[in-house]
């Protein structure tokens, strides 16, 4: 049954008193029956259909059906004498009134009334697989392809897998499970859910929405770059494989083993690097963040196409996006498998695999390795962005979200590991062709690893056009899944918070949201747009979302209470979470998140892109952008306390007291009426 379309059952008892024999048949009067009578005459019917029995002590011989299919019944009232007999549909004779005469509407009659909520029913996933693919598509994004392989080889290769798995087991997966359970139980987005947990922390929801907007401002630009590459791939000779194009400079050199007459110097640039920096990004036309330059019309059109796909995928809700992910979430795995097989057959592939997995155990003594492991698993699984809450809120109430959390988080981690083989087999091939060490080839991280190194490797393979097309199509689909999810988190939150305004205007609201995201992304489409993307990536989202999730865990574990949360899970799933999960939620996860925050503040990242060193004022700007979202949390706390009524102590107590959810699986109203 849908959440808001649940049929609430009311037990209306019509009692014949001593002086009621002459009362008109159509008159109704509300009576104040005792609670004991209420419990004696009826029982609640549960939403899951496990207990659909009607009132107790029914006289099954005389029943009359009402419109909802339940029978009217005639239990014996405690106020009637033992000789009173009740008949559901006609007259009764008994000693209750002392006259022995027949009276209309005799005895106690129980009427089951069906009441239907006037609110719109909550949407649900068409299939369980729609939900799983959506969560997997959200968790498996571009970072799995470029960030994990780079972080892994940089931090000790195979030895890095140890801290990575420990951080996943004790930090990432418990947070992932917690968000799925919260969203599924309370069936609310990241804003309105807080009134059921700890109302004073509602600012967390608004902060999450602002962070999601910041991500939409820069994340989709990377897909626009990939689309530019994809459109440029439909030609016999890939444009980034030669140095004879209009954007190439005198420093362009094809440095492969087949080009024996090429001499490589420190100032030399590969054709793939010049295509990326001078043709796609055009960063040579911008001196830095202080002067971004004009908007690239080619990238603006590419981004417009990306947002058009996004809009028509999510405008109708999870019914449509749940179907789209069958393509966007599965196609990348097919491409990864094809690229892995192709990469494994290239000369020198083994060099890359050895470099990727060769353990350097001494690296584990470095704090930076553990910091990178914690940050990688956190941003890979993605709790705290409101997406898991939103997706789980469309699940059936008794869906096994515990199993879903284990399956999807495991798939995410295995995909990251698989992507490392896909990337490093090709890097080994590049090192073989250039006659260099693998670390010299794999010096670039982030998008440069995909758009320069991997693109150049593809250009030198047989059937380069085919592999370029499927590779950049995979990049676009990996990004689309995460964009669908991020925006759905915002949409669900706003629709749940303002249902009367937005519920019937979802298409227009989504259209407005997509337009805002597109306009906000224009700064990333300029000649210096790559510098803006890097700034947003380093400062605007990372520290803010980690701090928000820390507050979320504290609010759930310490204010709402771990016992209450575990009781919710038991009601929902039928089993109580074990001690491991309880310890993680209360102590280990907060310490895990605090560790990442302190390390970020103690060792701020040195931001550099290409040859541009970010000046000091950009660090201040980055922190201001990050604080602009987090400021919603204390601001709402002050607002909530000022607008509450009563003494300060009463206000504070009310602000941390959760409001019980009124969903169908918990709320039934039983009333008595004469």
């Amino acid at each position: 049954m849908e959440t808001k379309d649940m049929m609430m059952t009311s037990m209306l008892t019509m009692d014949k008193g001593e002086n009621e024999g002459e009362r008109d048949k159509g008159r109704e009067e509300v009576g104040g029956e005792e609670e004991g009578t209420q419990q004696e005459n009826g029982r609640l019917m549960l939403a899951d259909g496990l207990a659909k029995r009607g009132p107790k002590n029914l006289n099954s011989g005389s029943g009359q059906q009402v419109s909802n299919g339940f029978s009217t019944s005639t239990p014996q009232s405690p106020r009637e004498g033992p000789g009173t007999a009740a008949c559901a549909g006609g007259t009764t004779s008994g000693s209750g009134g002392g006259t022995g005469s027949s009276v209309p509407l005799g005895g106690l009659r129980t009427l089951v009334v069906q009441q239907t909520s006037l609110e719109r029913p909550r949407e649900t996933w068409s299939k369980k697989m729609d939900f799983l693919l959506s969560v997997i598509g959200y968790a498996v994004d571009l970072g799995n392809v470029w960030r994990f392989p780079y972080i892994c080889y940089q931090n000790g290769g195979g030895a890095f897998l140890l801290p990575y798995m420990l951080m996943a087991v004790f930090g990432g997966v418990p947070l992932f499970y917690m968000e799925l359970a919260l969203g599924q139980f309370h069936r609310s987005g990241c804003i309105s859910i807080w009134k059921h947990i700890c109302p004073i922390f509602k600012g967390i929801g608004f902060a999450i929405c602002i962070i999601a907007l910041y991500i939409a401002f820069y994340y989709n630009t990377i897909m626009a770059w990939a689309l530019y590459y994809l459109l440029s791939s439909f030609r016999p000779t890939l444009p980034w494989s030669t140095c004879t194009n209009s954007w190439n400079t005198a420093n362009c050199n094809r440095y492969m083993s087949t080009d024996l007459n090429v001499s490589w110097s420190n100032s030399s640039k590969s054709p793939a690097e010049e295509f990326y920096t001078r043709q796609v990004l055009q960063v040579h036309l911008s001196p830095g963040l202080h002067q971004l330059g004009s908007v690239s019309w080619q990238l603006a059109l590419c981004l417009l196409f990306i947002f058009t796909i996004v809009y028509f995928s999510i405008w109708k809700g999870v019914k449509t996006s749940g179907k789209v992910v069958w393509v966007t979430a599965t196609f990348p795995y097919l491409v990864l498998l094809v690229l892995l097989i192709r990469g494994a057959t290239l000369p020198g592939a083994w060099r890359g695999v050895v470099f990727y997995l060769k353990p350097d155990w001494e690296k584990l003594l470095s704090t930076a390795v553990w910091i990178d492991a914690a940050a990688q698993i956190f941003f890979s699984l993605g709790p705290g962005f409101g997406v898991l809450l939103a997706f789980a809120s469309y699940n059936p109430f008794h869906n096994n979200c515990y199993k879903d959390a284990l399956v999807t988080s495991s798939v995410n981690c295995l995909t990251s590991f698989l992507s490392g083989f896909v990337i490093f087999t090709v890097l080994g091939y590049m090192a073989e062709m250039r006659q260099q060490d693998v670390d010299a080839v794999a010096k670039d991280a982030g998008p440069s690893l995909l758009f320069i190194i991997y693109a150049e490797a593809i250009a030198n393979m047989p059937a380069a056009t085919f592999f370029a097309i499927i590779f950049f199509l995979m990049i676009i689909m990996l990004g689309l899944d995460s964009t669908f999810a991020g925006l759905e988190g915002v949409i669900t939150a706003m629709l749940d918070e303002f249902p009367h305004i937005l519920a019937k205007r979802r298409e227009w609201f989504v259209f407005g949201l997509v337009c805002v995201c597109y306009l906000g992304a224009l700064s990333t489409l300029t000649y210096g747009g790559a510098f803006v993307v890097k700034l947003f990536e380093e400062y605007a989202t990372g520290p803010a979302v980690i701090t928000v999730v820390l507050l979320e865990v504290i609010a759930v574990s310490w204010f709402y209470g771990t016992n209450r949360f575990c009781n919710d899970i038991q009601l929902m799933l039928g089993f109580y979470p074990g001690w491991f999960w309880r310890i993680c939620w209360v102590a280990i996860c907060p310490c895990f998140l605090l560790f990442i925050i302190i390390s970020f503040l103690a060792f701020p990242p040195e931001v550099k892109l290409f040859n541009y060193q970010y000046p000091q004022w950009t660090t201040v700007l980055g922190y201001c952008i990050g604080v602009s979202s987090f400021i919603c949390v204390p601001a709402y706390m002050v607002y909530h306390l000022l607008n509450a009524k009563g003494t300060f102590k009463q206000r504070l107590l009310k602000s941390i007291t959760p409001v019980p959810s009124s969903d169908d699986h918990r709320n039934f109203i039983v009333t008595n009426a004469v």
Side-chain angles (χ1 to χ4, degrees):
M1 284 187 184
E2 305 287 352
T3 305
K4 303 300 182 187
D5 197 29
M6 178 61 193
M7 295 180 300
M8 295 186 296
T9 328
S10 297
M11 312 298 291
L12 303 180
T13 58
M14 308 184 74
D15 191 2
K16 183 189 73 145
E18 260 184 84
N19 301 316
E20 290 177 343
E22 323 222 346
R23 199 173 58 180
D24 184 24
K25 188 174 180 179
R27 183 178 171 192
E28 290 185 359
E29 182 181 318
V30 177
E33 192 75 293
E34 290 89 359
E35 286 187 10
T37 307
Q38 170 185 325
Q39 295 299 327
E40 184 67 22
N41 289 342
R43 60 177 298 168
L44 302 184
M45 291 191 296
L46 302 182
D48 57 6
L50 295 179
K52 291 187 176 178
R53 294 189 294 273
K56 294 180 181 179
N57 304 324
L58 295 181
N59 183 354
S60 57
S62 56
Q64 180 179 352
Q65 287 210 339
V66 291
S67 60
N68 61 358
F70 291 96
S71 300
T72 57
S73 53
T74 57
Q76 184 176 352
S77 171
R79 293 168 57 181
E80 293 176 327
T84 302
C87 182
T91 61
T92 184
S93 61
S95 58
T99 62
S101 60
S102 296
V103 182
L105 284 177
L108 183 67
R109 184 171 68 177
T110 303
L111 179 64
V112 182
V113 176
Q114 170 180 312
Q115 181 181 0
T116 305
S117 173
L118 298 178
E119 297 184 30
R120 297 186 69 185
R122 188 172 187 84
E123 192 175 14
T124 55
W125 297 99
S126 298
K127 296 179 181 178
K128 172 68 175 286
M129 203 63 188
D130 293 357
F131 165 71
L132 292 177
L133 288 176
S134 296
V135 174
I136 290 172
Y138 160 68
V140 178
D141 64 351
L142 298 175
N144 294 72
V145 179
W146 79 51
R147 181 173 169 81
F148 178 82
Y150 176 80
I151 293 292
C152 187
Y153 93 79
Q154 190 183 46
N155 290 289
F160 176 75
L161 298 178
L162 177 61
Y164 179 76
M165 292 306 299
L166 288 175
M167 292 297 177
V169 170
F170 291 100
V173 177
L175 291 172
F176 198 85
Y177 176 27
M178 184 189 76
E179 285 216 347
L180 287 183
L182 283 173
Q184 184 170 304
F185 185 83
H186 296 288
R187 301 178 72 82
S188 300
C190 62
I191 298 178
S192 57
I193 194 174
W194 286 102
K195 67 182 178 183
H196 305 306
I197 299 175
C198 190
I200 200 172
F201 284 98
K202 192 175 183 178
I204 289 176
F206 293 105
I208 288 173
C209 290
I210 295 175
I211 292 170
L213 286 179
Y214 287 157
I215 294 174
F217 290 166
Y218 76 87
Y219 189 81
N220 297 280
T221 301
I222 300 173
M223 284 186 285
W225 300 344
L227 181 59
Y228 192 103
Y229 269 86
L230 177 64
L231 297 175
S232 302
S233 300
F234 288 95
R235 56 185 73 181
T237 303
L238 297 176
W240 59 86
S241 62
T242 63
C243 290
T244 57
N245 304 285
S246 59
W247 58 81
N248 291 125
T249 65
N251 293 327
C252 181
N253 284 320
R254 290 189 74 249
Y255 185 50
M256 304 298 283
S257 60
T258 54
D259 304 317
L260 300 177
N261 58 340
V262 173
S263 58
W264 188 267
S265 65
N266 292 332
S267 61
S268 297
K269 305 289 184 184
S270 67
E273 182 178 353
E274 290 203 341
F275 178 78
Y276 178 58
T277 58
R278 298 180 62 84
Q279 176 63 10
V280 180
L281 303 181
Q282 303 183 68
V283 293
H284 64 288
L285 300 177
S286 171
L289 280 170
H290 62 283
Q291 189 176 340
L292 295 176
S294 304
V295 173
S296 169
W297 65 269
Q298 298 99 324
L299 292 181
L301 289 178
C302 289
L303 187 61
L304 181 62
F305 181 75
I306 293 294
F307 272 119
T308 302
I309 296 175
V310 170
Y311 174 71
F312 286 106
S313 297
I314 65 175
W315 69 322
K316 292 291 186 182
V318 295
K319 296 289 187 185
T320 54
S321 63
K323 297 295 180 290
V324 176
V325 293
W326 280 82
V327 176
T328 56
T330 57
F331 181 77
Y333 285 96
L334 178 62
V335 175
L336 284 174
L337 183 61
V338 171
L339 293 176
L340 177 61
I341 295 172
R342 182 69 188 102
T345 60
L346 293 171
W350 63 272
R351 294 177 59 188
V353 174
V354 170
F355 185 80
Y356 172 48
L357 293 180
K358 184 179 179 181
D360 184 358
W361 299 107
E362 292 184 1
K363 288 271 190 179
L364 298 183
L365 301 176
S366 172
T367 308
V369 174
W370 296 85
I371 295 172
D372 284 345
Q376 174 61 25
I377 193 64
F378 176 82
F379 288 110
S380 180
L381 291 176
F385 292 92
V387 174
L388 300 176
L389 289 173
F391 280 171
S393 72
Y394 298 113
N395 275 334
F397 181 66
H398 295 292
N399 173 65
N400 192 344
C401 59
Y402 170 70
K403 182 179 177 181
D404 295 343
L406 296 181
V407 169
T408 51
S409 55
S410 299
V411 168
N412 176 70
C413 295
L414 290 174
T415 303
S416 298
F417 188 61
L418 174 67
S419 299
F421 287 99
V422 174
I423 296 297
F424 274 91
T425 53
V426 171
L427 292 181
Y429 164 70
M430 289 290 294
E432 184 82 9
M433 293 295 99
R434 288 187 176 185
Q435 299 178 354
Q436 291 181 314
D437 292 332
V438 178
D439 57 348
V441 178
K443 62 183 178 181
D444 292 315
S448 299
L449 182 64
L450 302 180
F451 294 114
I452 296 179
I453 303 300
Y454 208 94
E456 184 178 356
I458 288 176
N460 289 280
M461 293 181 189
T465 299
F466 168 74
F467 286 108
I469 290 172
I470 64 170
F471 177 73
F472 291 110
L473 197 57
M474 177 192 73
I475 296 299
I476 293 172
M477 291 194 176
L478 284 172
L480 282 175
D481 287 333
S482 297
T483 299
F484 295 161
L487 294 183
E488 186 59 53
V490 177
I491 294 165
T492 299
M494 299 304 290
L495 262 63
D496 286 345
E497 182 66 13
F498 308 104
H500 301 296
I501 301 174
L502 302 176
K504 296 182 180 180
R505 302 177 180 87
R506 179 188 170 99
E507 292 85 354
W508 287 106
F509 174 68
V510 175
F511 179 76
L513 179 64
V514 169
C515 289
V516 168
C517 293
Y518 183 79
L519 293 175
L522 288 179
S523 63
T524 65
L525 303 176
T526 57
Y527 299 145
F531 304 138
V532 180
V533 170
K534 186 72 173 177
L535 182 72
F536 270 105
E537 186 181 4
E538 293 291 341
Y539 292 107
T541 57
V545 78
I546 296 173
T547 308
V548 162
V549 176
L550 174 62
L551 292 178
E552 180 182 315
V553 173
I554 291 174
V556 173
S557 300
W558 299 356
F559 286 84
Y560 186 70
T562 306
N563 290 335
R564 182 184 294 175
F565 179 50
C566 291
N567 288 332
D568 292 346
I569 294 177
Q570 185 175 29
L571 175 64
M572 186 168 58
L573 304 184
F575 58 85
Y576 200 81
W579 61 269
F580 169 77
W581 301 106
R582 300 197 298 272
I583 292 175
C584 284
W585 291 327
V586 172
I588 298 179
C589 287
C591 294
F592 166 80
L593 295 166
L594 200 60
F595 172 68
I596 303 177
I597 295 171
I598 293 175
S599 63
F600 181 86
L601 296 176
F603 310 102
E606 182 183 355
V607 186
K608 181 181 179 182
L609 184 64
F610 305 127
N611 295 322
Y612 178 67
Q613 185 73 40
Y614 282 64
Q616 191 64 36
W617 65 268
T618 60
T619 303
V620 178
L621 176 63
Y623 279 117
C624 288
I625 297 174
V627 171
S628 66
S629 59
F630 177 72
I631 199 68
C632 293
V633 180
Y636 184 83
M637 289 180 175
V638 174
Y639 168 80
H640 187 80
L641 290 173
L642 291 178
N643 282 271
K645 296 180 181 180
T647 64
F648 179 77
K649 183 178 180 180
Q650 291 172 334
R651 296 179 183 188
L652 191 61
L653 183 62
K654 186 178 179 181
S655 66
I656 61 174
T657 303
V659 178
S661 297
S662 59
D663 287 333
D664 57 351
H665 44 264
R666 291 179 301 283
N667 187 35
F668 296 90
I669 301 174
V670 179
T671 59
N672 292 330
V674 177

